[in-house]
Structures are given as C-alpha cells and as structure tokens.
Amino acid sequence: MHKLPEIRGRHMAQNESILKSVSNIRRQLDEAEQVTVTIALFGQPGSGKSSLVNKLVGQPLASVGVATDQTRQAQTYHYNGVHLVDLPGFDTVRFPKESFWERFKMDSFDLFLCVFSEKLGSAEVEFFSHLQKHGRTCLFVRNKRDDIWDTAKSVEDLEKEIREDVSRLVRAQVKVYFTSCRDDYGLDALSEAIAGHLPQAKQERWIESAKAYSRRFLEAKLALCKKKVRLNAGLSAANAINPLPGMDVAVDISILLSLFRSIKKAYGLNDKALLTSREFQVPALAQLANNLIKNATRAGVIRLLQRVATREITKSTSKYIPLVGQAIAASIGYGITLQAGNAYLADCHELASAVMERELLRRHC
Ligand SMILES: Nc1nc2c(ncn2[C@@H]2O[C@H](COP(=O)(O)OP(=O)(O)O)[C@@H](O)[C@H]2O)c(=O)[nH]1
Ligand SMILES: [Mg+2]
C-alpha cells in the first residue's frame, strides 16, 4: 500500500511525458504539412513548359500542345504542396518589365526554370538578368532533347554548342539540363537538381510530391515516408480512441487512414490509375495494386492492424527505439501501428519500384 503514491507519481510523469511527446509530434507533422514549394517556369510557347509540369509531378495537370497566348495570366498548377507556375511572356504590352516583378510576386518563388527548345530568346535572356540582379536561382532546361540531331555532329557536340551558346547569351557560365518529355531523358537529373536547390524542409516536400525517375529518388521517398510512419504511429497510439476488436489495444484509425493515403499519394499511386492503368494490370502487380486500394480504407486499416497485432502482442515491445517519446514508444499500440504503417509503405514501395524498373528497361531499350 505504501508504494501507491510513488506509482501514481510515476503514472503522472508518464502521462505528462506522453502529452509532451504528442504535442511535439503534432507540431512536427503540422509544420511539415504546411511547407510548400513554388516553382516558376518561363520560356517560349511550345518549348514544353506544360509537358514538364506534368512530367515533374507525374500528373496530367496542364493541357499540352495548346497554343498559348503570350498576354494571358500566369497559370498555376497545384499538387500536394507543390505549386508550379507557368509565367506569361516577360515585357509584353500587357505585362511590361517595370511592373512584372511585383505583379507576379517574383520574390515568392523558390526557384525558376527557363525552358527552351530552340535558341534562347531575348525576353528569356533579359528576364534571367533580372533574376540574377535579385539573387534568384534559375535552372536552364533545354527540352526536346530527342529533337537534337545533325547528320554531321554527335549529340554530345551539339549539346556542348547549346551550352556554350546559352552561357554566351546570358553572359554567365551556366549549367544546362537537357530533358525530353517524349522519352523522359534527363528528368531524373532535373528533379534532383530542383531538390538540391531547395532548403531542407522544402526539399522534403519536393521529394514527397515529385515523380521519381530514378531508384535513388524512390529511396529518398521511402526514407521520408518511414519518418512519417514513425511519427503517425506515435500519434495514433497516444490518441488511442478505437479499440481493436478482440485485443487489448486501441489506436486512432483515422490518423492511420490519412497516413496510408498520403503514402499512396507520395508514390503517385491514385486509385483510378491503380484500377485502370495497364501499368498495374500485369499479373505480378495487379494483386498488390488491389491491396493498396483495399488497405487504405477504414476496414482495410483495421484488418492490417489486426494481422500484425496477433504477431506483435506475443513479442516483447522493449525493442522499439523510443524515437517518439519513451512512454508511447514502449506501448504495444505503437508497435502495432508502426508495423502496419511500414507494411503499407513496403507495398507502395514495391509496386512503385516494379513500375520504375519497367520504365527504366523501356527507356534503355
Ligand atoms: N519531341 C518532343 N516534343 C515535346 C517535348 N515536350 C513537349 N513536346 C511537344 O511540344 C508541344 C508543346 O508542348 P507544351 O508542353 O504545350 O509547351 P508549352 O507551350 O511551353 O506549354 C506539344 O506538342 C508537346 O507534345 C519533348 O521533349 N520532345
Ligand atoms: Mg503551355
């Protein structure tokens, strides 16, 4: 009996520590959720800006091949915290250079992409010099690399000429990224370069939202999602409001549900594509694709949790590294939700990797 106050004291301390960890996790997740990446694309109509927008995020956001009116407004495309802005022509009658900067809030962009497919125009050169003056970062993207061809010269020589020509025109030694929206050439290097020019938090937003064109990028997505699973597992276990039938464990299923959906989104796996795209209908992948849809429902989350719970309950929970606060990490609810989250993530990663291997194979054939 005399031990009671001490135990109660320990309980209170534990509760306090849980509350503190929960608010820490929530803050971390909220902060990450609010991070956005805003990238401007500029360049001649027909150079492939709309195509690049779609390719970079892997979603059909912009209409391709639509003759663009140089005097129109800026066009913004949103995907999962990434905003891609197709800027109108610089220094036109409607948007003269004097007011362009303020009008299109140039200071709000994280990065600029100058997209061209022919000789760089004088408007692009002038706009770049404004960007330089304001200390803004601009990457040069020579799109339609598949069109670079000459009977007398190699593609490498032609690329070198283009690089030298751009550097001469903008009077600076600049790197040129060669891309093709037709065969996906160079999209991996461009996307990685975009990530590399962003500060840490924005880099994570980019990695989460952009389409992966390399195994390395896919691995970076995996690492980010693992971190998300860990944090959400902690939150779900601490928020325990849904008892799992037949088990002495409760978790917050809605947290896991939205976690699963955000993982699916990070891998660009939307339900419509999973159900209809030929990509996922090959026998080896169809079952996996189906599971990803089924498991991202309330019933699916519960099923997955129960499956891992039976296994986890018999194991010691002490092995969990207390990354999200000692008390939560030691709980069985945390262990189960962590395992379920990682199982869902592993399936998404496996499917995305299989699709990427097929894409890489096609590209190198
Ligand atoms: N061959 C080739 N055509 C491309 C490439 N990127 C875009 N296109 C085509 O070029 C045209 C203009 O593309 P679009 O993205 O609408 O250019 P925008 O006017 O700059 O937005 C369309 O017919 C595209 O299909 C590419 O890398 N290679
Ligand atoms: Mg366009």
Side-chain angles (χ1 to χ4, degrees):
M1 280 302 277
H2 66 278
K3 275 193 177 163
L4 211 57
E6 191 200 321
I7 290 171
R8 199 179 296 144
R10 214 189 304 150
H11 256 299
M12 276 171 68
Q14 206 174 53
N15 280 346
E16 240 169 66
S17 127
I18 288 182
L19 285 176
K20 223 168 114 198
S21 314
V22 167
S23 70
N24 273 344
I25 298 170
R26 206 159 262 146
R27 208 195 48 240
Q28 266 194 65
L29 285 169
D30 285 349
E31 276 172 10
E33 210 46 56
Q34 276 157 25
V35 174
T36 56
V37 172
T38 311
I39 299 174
L41 294 93
F42 68 97
Q44 306 268 311
S47 56
K49 296 180 295 301
S50 301
S51 306
L52 271 174
V53 163
N54 296 343
K55 284 288 181 180
L56 285 172
V57 292
Q59 304 292 326
L61 303 179
S63 316
V64 169
V66 176
T68 41
D69 174 7
Q70 277 288 80
T71 60
R72 84 214 137 91
Q73 275 293 349
Q75 188 82 47
T76 306
Y77 304 97
H78 308 276
Y79 184 68
N80 206 24
V82 167
H83 310 305
L84 297 170
V85 183
D86 186 351
L87 289 174
F90 179 64
D91 200 19
T92 56
V93 177
R94 185 142 168 222
F95 305 124
K97 60 180 162 195
E98 293 75 24
S99 54
F100 198 92
W101 200 267
E102 279 72 35
R103 164 129 205 180
F104 294 105
K105 301 189 172 60
M106 291 298 108
D107 288 316
S108 67
F109 291 102
D110 296 305
L111 200 62
F112 293 81
L113 302 183
C114 174
V115 184
F116 63 107
S117 60
E118 287 165 20
K119 201 173 169 65
L120 210 58
S122 56
E124 285 84 73
V125 172
E126 198 177 350
F127 189 56
F128 175 70
S129 86
H130 276 258
L131 292 175
Q132 261 188 323
K133 247 183 265 157
H134 287 81
R136 314 316 308 267
T137 308
C138 176
L139 306 182
F140 285 89
V141 184
R142 171 49 163 95
N143 191 38
K144 304 197 185 179
R145 195 247 186 203
D146 54 288
D147 262 359
I148 300 176
W149 184 79
D150 189 308
T151 40
K153 292 172 187 167
S154 71
V155 174
E156 286 70 29
D157 285 344
L158 291 166
E159 282 186 351
K160 189 164 170 270
E161 281 177 17
I162 292 170
R163 227 178 280 127
E164 286 169 357
D165 194 41
V166 172
S167 293
R168 187 179 53 77
L169 284 167
V170 302
R171 293 204 201 94
Q173 209 55 44
V174 294
K175 189 172 163 57
V176 175
Y177 294 89
F178 290 89
T179 59
S180 167
C181 294
R182 183 184 273 180
D183 61 21
D184 292 355
Y185 181 93
L187 295 171
D188 49 351
L190 176 61
S191 190
E192 286 187 20
I194 292 173
H197 282 89
L198 297 169
Q200 173 79 27
K202 285 180 183 277
Q203 197 173 89
E204 293 192 352
R205 167 59 68 197
W206 180 256
I207 290 167
E208 188 177 332
S209 306
K211 179 174 159 74
Y213 286 95
S214 66
R215 293 182 190 98
R216 194 159 63 167
F217 204 93
L218 214 51
E219 290 305 315
K221 265 188 201 288
L222 179 65
L224 266 186
C225 289
K226 274 189 178 160
K227 185 169 132 191
K228 240 185 169 178
V229 167
R230 220 161 47 220
L231 292 171
N232 278 283
L235 210 55
S236 154
N239 224 24
I241 52 167
N242 306 111
L244 284 187
M247 280 151 204
D248 191 15
V249 171
V251 294
D252 188 332
I253 288 172
S254 57
I255 290 176
L256 280 176
L257 195 53
S258 74
L259 169 70
F260 283 17
R261 287 175 182 165
S262 88
I263 293 174
K264 194 150 58 100
K265 199 166 189 183
Y267 280 89
L269 301 167
N270 66 64
D271 286 0
K272 193 167 162 234
L274 284 170
L275 281 170
T276 57
S277 160
R278 285 215 328 261
E279 206 99 68
F280 306 114
Q281 298 316 314
V282 291
L285 303 182
Q287 183 65 35
L288 203 51
N290 226 12
N291 282 349
L292 288 181
I293 298 174
K294 267 194 342 220
N295 286 340
T297 60
R298 203 176 166 79
V301 172
I302 295 173
R303 233 182 0 253
L304 193 52
L305 284 165
Q306 282 185 307
R307 207 166 65 217
V308 292
T310 325
R311 202 172 58 217
E312 287 304 306
I313 278 171
T314 55
K315 281 200 237 160
S316 156
T317 52
S318 59
K319 69 185 165 59
Y320 297 118
I321 308 156
L323 286 168
V324 290
Q326 190 80 39
I328 302 172
S331 81
I332 188 77
Y334 174 72
I336 293 167
T337 46
L338 184 73
Q339 298 298 320
N342 279 334
Y344 191 81
L345 172 57
D347 282 352
C348 282
H349 192 74
E350 189 184 333
L351 185 63
S353 302
V355 170
M356 168 163 296
E357 292 308 322
R358 292 158 64 88
E359 282 175 359
L360 290 176
L361 209 66
R362 259 203 308 268
R363 224 177 296 160
H364 294 134
C365 277

